[in-house]
Amino acid sequence: MMTETSYALTGPAYVDQSHLVVTDLPLVSGFYQSMLGLKVIEKTPSGDVLGVNGLPLLTLTTDRKAQIAPRNAAGLFHTAFLMPNRTELACWLRHAAHNNVALDGASDHLVSEAIYLSDPEGNGIEIYADRPHEAWKFHQDGQVEMATMRLDLQALYESAPEDAWGGMADGTAIGHIHLQVGDIPKADAFYRDVLGLTLMARYPGASFFATGGYHHHVAANIWNSRGAGARTDGMTGLSGYTLHFNDKAALDNAVAALERLEIKNDKRDGGVFLKDPWGIGLTLSA
């Protein structure tokens, strides 16, 4: 069955992979496989690459010297896995309920329906499905109408077909990544002004950035991490993520801005690697 490409992935750029450093690789990798339904694509002594239908989404690596990141450190708020449709979200919820997966919350954001949980080492996860893009409301300044309302989990659960769950459906992707940062104006200056993402929404203490009119590909908040400095090397949690550009010109503009502002970057794995103001690794690729 052909799945339609999610709107999130059709813009000039989107997040396509995330990389976490963990202390207990078998435990955490097992969780993403059994509870989230990701499959192992590649195994190395130091890590696993997990994904859907051969498409890598999440790299987990471990290091004996890894330092546990404090909860208020800059880094990951959550990695958000975007389901291809609402039915798949309901199927995942049914699987989670039958396997006693502890949920941290669930919200209706108007543009999407989202379920929140954490992996065994406390890395945040969002599982969500977008409402049709045509149904989103935009303000005159181009920002998108978003809210945080209660999601009716029971109704969502009851809408799931009773088939056996076979793991994450083809077409599942990382819809967005939500970061903990130390300062919102600094996040705006980097993600909007340097990388060229559009500011799509603001909440108290948070900014939401995207390309192509999506609600957000990258979000940054200071809810737990106000004033946080740069991450130290080898911290557990988010090591880095990849921003994939469908539009080569948008990538060239971002790289030109890095050069102009003398932000250190180097060519790596066919992309451009740099760190954001909080030491979170970021690869720009096309």
Side-chain angles (χ1 to χ4, degrees):
M1 185 178 109
M2 278 302 288
T3 47
E4 203 181 322
T5 301
S6 290
Y7 184 81
L9 313 183
T10 60
Y14 63 91
V15 174
D16 70 346
Q17 290 190 49
S18 173
H19 174 193
L20 302 178
V21 174
V22 299
T23 54
D24 188 334
L25 181 66
L27 176 71
V28 178
S29 183
F31 177 86
Y32 282 98
Q33 291 171 58
S34 62
M35 296 308 162
L36 263 69
L38 299 180
K39 303 276 190 281
V40 178
I41 292 173
E42 192 185 317
K43 248 188 160 8
T44 64
S46 65
D48 290 350
V49 178
L50 306 173
V52 174
N53 197 24
L55 183 74
L57 297 177
L58 181 67
T59 299
L60 299 172
T61 55
T62 190
D63 181 350
R64 276 198 304 276
K65 299 190 293 292
Q67 299 287 313
I68 307 279
R71 191 168 144 58
N72 60 354
L76 186 69
F77 190 65
H78 58 239
T79 305
F81 294 92
L82 173 60
M83 300 294 188
N85 52 56
R86 188 175 195 265
T87 302
E88 289 299 338
L89 182 66
C91 290
W92 179 80
L93 176 61
R94 196 166 175 273
H95 160 75
H98 293 186
N99 288 278
N100 298 323
V101 176
L103 302 181
D104 296 338
S107 297
D108 180 336
H109 293 302
L110 303 180
V111 292
S112 63
E113 295 174 285
I115 301 169
Y116 298 96
L117 64 155
S118 303
D119 75 15
E121 295 195 358
N123 295 298
I125 298 167
E126 175 181 335
I127 309 278
Y128 77 115
D130 280 329
R131 289 212 166 89
H133 185 246
E134 312 71 78
W136 301 0
K137 290 190 175 66
F138 289 88
H139 300 293
Q140 277 181 322
D141 62 4
Q143 292 195 8
V144 67
E145 178 78 37
M146 284 166 62
T148 300
M149 304 183 315
R150 196 178 143 269
L151 179 62
D152 186 343
L153 281 174
Q154 192 60 38
L156 182 63
Y157 173 90
E158 285 167 6
S159 74
E162 297 206 357
D163 315 348
W165 189 71
M168 283 284 192
D170 191 12
T172 300
I174 292 183
H176 65 266
I177 196 153
H178 195 143
L179 307 171
Q180 295 197 155
V181 300
D183 179 75
I184 293 300
K186 202 188 258 192
D188 292 350
F190 181 76
Y191 284 98
R192 179 187 60 198
D193 306 341
V194 176
L195 294 186
L197 304 182
T198 305
L199 181 66
M200 291 305 293
R202 277 194 190 284
Y203 272 30
S207 287
F208 297 80
F209 309 96
T211 68
Y214 191 52
H215 52 77
H216 62 299
H217 288 109
V218 177
N221 79 58
I222 54 168
W223 301 330
N224 301 318
S225 54
R226 182 189 297 273
R231 290 171 63 79
T232 52
D233 284 343
M235 252 185 188
T236 57
L238 184 66
S239 169
Y241 62 102
T242 304
L243 206 51
H244 181 87
F245 287 80
N246 288 324
D247 175 7
K248 179 80 168 64
L251 173 61
D252 293 342
N253 288 342
V255 174
L258 298 176
E259 299 298 344
R260 195 169 60 245
L261 296 164
E262 298 180 359
I263 294 171
K264 185 173 169 315
N265 65 86
D266 37 63
K267 308 259 180 300
R268 230 189 246 188
D269 306 329
V272 175
F273 177 81
L274 66 148
K275 288 189 171 179
D276 80 359
W278 296 278
I280 300 166
L282 175 57
T283 301
L284 311 178
S285 69

